[in-house]
Amino acid sequence: EYLEKAHRQLEQCKQEKEEGKKYLEELQTQLAVKTTQVTLFEEDFQAERNSRAEAVGKMDDVRKEYETKIEEMRKEYTGIKDKFENIEELLLLKQQQFHEHLETIDQQHKD
């Protein structure tokens, strides 16, 4: 029964690890998409700024609007990146806890 419990815990940890990996992959994809969006948006902004250089009065309003949007997109990007890093840390912690648990089981088994 004790080994069965340890085996179930091992399987649960493996499943959580796989789910964590899938979630990490999803976050990596979201991060890549946001990175591309930010880059394209910044390029569009630069092109727009260049084409409107003659309209100095309007340009200030446009610049403020784009800077606000870029900042919002950067915050989203940072949020996804932070989630990604937190998940990585959580997976490492789970892995460490699992190994510690196995060591405890081994020690108890020896005793």
Side-chain angles (χ1 to χ4, degrees), residues 25-50:
E25 290 171 4
E26 181 181 312
L27 286 177
Q28 284 176 318
T29 300
Q30 290 177 16
L31 190 60
V33 167
K34 283 297 174 190
T35 301
T36 302
Q37 287 176 343
V38 168
T39 300
L40 292 174
F41 196 85
E42 287 176 324
E43 289 172 0
D44 288 347
F45 169 67
Q46 193 62 40
E48 184 74 17
R49 177 187 276 180
N50 292 341

Side-chain angles (χ1 to χ4, degrees), residues 26-98:
E26 181 181 312
L27 286 177
Q28 284 176 318
T29 300
Q30 290 177 16
L31 190 60
V33 167
K34 283 297 174 190
T35 301
T36 302
Q37 287 176 343
V38 168
T39 300
L40 292 174
F41 196 85
E42 287 176 324
E43 289 172 0
D44 288 347
F45 169 67
Q46 193 62 40
E48 184 74 17
R49 177 187 276 180
N50 292 341
S51 69
R52 294 186 180 222
E54 297 169 1
V56 175
K58 291 181 181 180
M59 192 61 217
D60 193 52
D61 292 339
V62 170
R63 179 185 55 79
K64 288 177 185 175
E65 179 183 331
Y66 274 97
E67 286 176 349
T68 301
K69 287 181 182 179
I70 289 171
E71 188 60 36
E72 290 170 359
M73 291 177 85
R74 282 200 174 125
K75 285 179 184 176
E76 285 181 37
Y77 171 87
T78 301
I80 291 170
K81 184 178 173 189
D82 289 346
K83 284 181 188 176
F84 177 78
E85 289 171 356
N86 289 341
I87 292 295
E88 278 186 325
E89 289 173 12
L90 183 62
L91 282 176
L92 288 173
L93 180 62
K94 284 273 189 190
Q95 187 177 18
Q96 180 183 359
Q97 289 173 343
F98 175 70

